[in-house]
Amino acid sequence: MPENDGQTDTEEKAASENPDEGAGTEDEAAKELTMASLLELYENGGLALKVEEEGLDGFLAYGNMELVSDQEDFLTGLYVCDLVYPYLSENGTVRDRNYELQLSYWRPETAEEYGHAQNEIDNIRLMEKESQDAVLLYEVDERFTVTKDLAGFLQRDYGMEQYLTCNLPNDFTWGTFRSDLTFLDGWLLEGKAEEPLHGEGVAEAWYCPGGIGRGEAASEMLLFENGVLTDVSLMMNHTERLGEPEMLEGCAVQALLTEYVFDLFTPAEWEEYLSQHPGTENDAEQSRYWYVFLGKENSEIYYVLFLNQEYFTREDAVHMAQSVRFTEKAF
């Protein structure tokens, strides 16, 4: 008589009739997309091959893909997936970073009208949640370039100290890395500052106390003549430069000080706001900033210190710019 291993006759019968039932949890786990599996998939063009061979269904097989948007007023729908990566800092500490995989696809109702197949994958992006920094992993439009270094993106250091240090007034501190400072990435100033009135969709960099940004296309922004930084080319809607740039002395690299005015409301928004708040001062519709551009002629990297004139004087801007010290990695 065989030994009883603790399993009842009913359990034995159920197991024989449903041989895969016990493996269900393992199979479901295997279908979860992880950062490790994404990295493996991305190597040697595996992600693009999966898009080509399996399409949207191949990604929906992962149990952790969630539909976010499939609204009629959008041409494309969006699926997302939460991923975690153990980031190793230069000092040897490891901490988890949270990412979001974003998969955009063409909705069946609109795809053919715009020359796409139903449910065709349009693009796939990976975003680091805290900084909003993102990288393109797949794009159906060949005019866009996808990253060639996903592992490098995951190990990106978002600390300002790797590039520079800058003296601050006691009332302010540097915030975390941001990738949405209009034309720059960088760090905003944080402190006891009251958020001013502004319309919808206005960049925080246009009403915050200030910040410092890092750009990667200096040849498009800074103008050098005979080795001397003479002008800057910053062109944005709802933006006006006041006067001519002024060269600053005593900075670690060449620097120009300028003033900019930013519209905090569209004309329609401002008119509506005034109708509801008739006593509002006229200058509340705009913000004014000191902008200090810092760069080297032989580098595509440049930096911009920007300070809200509500909190900082011209002298403050000059002293802070002169206090900036760059590291070897800065340029």
Side-chain angles (χ1 to χ4, degrees):
M1 182 176 180
E3 293 184 3
N4 188 336
D5 60 2
Q7 188 177 37
T8 66
D9 292 341
T10 302
E11 290 171 333
E12 290 178 352
K13 180 178 180 180
S16 63
E17 292 177 350
N18 302 282
D20 295 330
E21 185 174 320
T25 302
E26 183 178 346
D27 290 344
E28 290 173 3
K31 291 181 180 179
E32 296 283 310
L33 181 64
T34 65
M35 190 66 80
S37 57
L38 178 64
L39 278 164
E40 182 179 358
L41 184 64
Y42 197 71
E43 292 180 359
N44 302 318
L47 187 68
L49 185 62
K50 183 178 181 68
V51 171
E52 180 181 342
E53 294 183 348
E54 303 178 26
L56 182 61
D57 288 341
F59 290 88
L60 298 189
Y62 296 117
N64 51 342
M65 294 292 295
E66 298 182 2
L67 180 65
V68 172
S69 173
D70 191 26
Q71 301 177 20
E72 293 183 0
D73 53 345
F74 287 93
L75 298 177
T76 59
L78 178 67
Y79 280 92
V80 300
C81 171
D82 290 333
L83 300 173
V84 177
Y85 181 77
Y87 169 73
L88 176 63
S89 66
E90 290 186 354
N91 62 15
T93 60
V94 178
R95 69 177 182 89
D96 285 344
R97 276 183 175 173
N98 296 310
Y99 293 80
E100 182 178 82
L101 186 75
Q102 303 171 343
L103 185 152
S104 178
Y105 70 97
W106 284 91
R107 299 176 61 249
E109 296 84 351
T110 57
E112 294 183 4
E113 179 181 353
Y114 289 87
H116 295 274
Q118 295 184 9
N119 293 322
E120 178 183 358
I121 294 177
D122 185 65
N123 62 73
I124 301 175
R125 299 168 74 246
L126 183 66
M127 181 186 72
E128 201 272 331
K129 287 188 174 183
E130 183 178 25
S131 66
Q132 305 288 298
D133 189 22
V135 67
L136 190 62
L137 302 182
Y138 171 82
E139 170 63 57
V140 69
D141 190 336
E142 296 181 353
R143 292 176 299 176
F144 295 89
T145 303
V146 301
T147 183
K148 296 181 180 179
D149 186 12
L150 176 55
F153 171 74
L154 295 174
Q155 276 297 129
R156 185 171 292 178
D157 185 348
Y158 294 110
M160 188 180 74
E161 294 77 10
Q162 66 178 312
Y163 301 120
L164 61 91
T165 58
C166 176
N167 294 341
L168 286 179
N170 293 332
D171 295 338
F172 295 96
T173 59
W174 292 112
T176 58
F177 177 86
R178 301 278 295 271
S179 62
D180 58 351
L181 306 187
T182 58
F183 64 102
L184 295 163
D185 300 335
W187 304 266
L188 295 181
L189 286 175
E190 296 180 348
K192 296 180 179 179
E194 184 176 343
E195 184 172 326
L197 306 173
H198 60 83
E200 295 183 4
V202 176
E204 189 175 353
W206 288 10
Y207 59 79
C208 71
I212 192 161
R214 184 176 190 267
E216 298 184 351
S219 58
E220 300 176 8
M221 182 65 64
L222 308 183
L223 176 63
F224 288 86
E225 294 183 1
N226 299 320
V228 178
L229 179 59
T230 59
D231 204 353
V232 297
S233 177
L234 173 58
M235 300 172 58
M236 294 187 290
N237 292 331
H238 307 291
T239 302
E240 179 186 2
R241 189 174 82 178
L242 303 179
E244 295 299 316
E246 172 190 353
M247 184 181 299
L248 294 185
E249 301 292 339
C251 295
V253 297
Q254 294 193 58
L256 289 180
L257 172 68
T258 58
E259 288 186 70
Y260 282 93
V261 175
F262 301 102
D263 292 336
L264 299 181
F265 295 84
T266 65
E269 287 176 333
W270 183 240
E271 183 177 349
E272 180 181 355
Y273 187 85
L274 286 180
S275 68
Q276 299 174 0
H277 306 83
T280 305
E281 297 181 5
N282 289 333
D283 60 357
E285 66 176 315
Q286 294 181 322
S287 62
R288 290 175 176 245
Y289 279 77
W290 305 107
Y291 264 59
V292 181
F293 293 80
L294 304 106
K296 296 181 177 182
E297 186 177 26
N298 60 352
S299 175
E300 280 297 309
I301 302 299
Y302 67 100
Y303 296 84
V304 182
L305 173 68
F306 54 97
L307 300 169
N308 193 323
Q309 294 184 10
E310 286 289 323
Y311 307 99
F312 299 95
T313 65
R314 177 190 176 280
E315 289 70 26
D316 292 331
V318 172
H319 291 156
M320 286 181 63
Q322 292 173 335
S323 77
V324 173
R325 292 294 178 266
F326 294 103
T327 69
E328 293 182 356
K329 294 177 60 177
F331 294 96

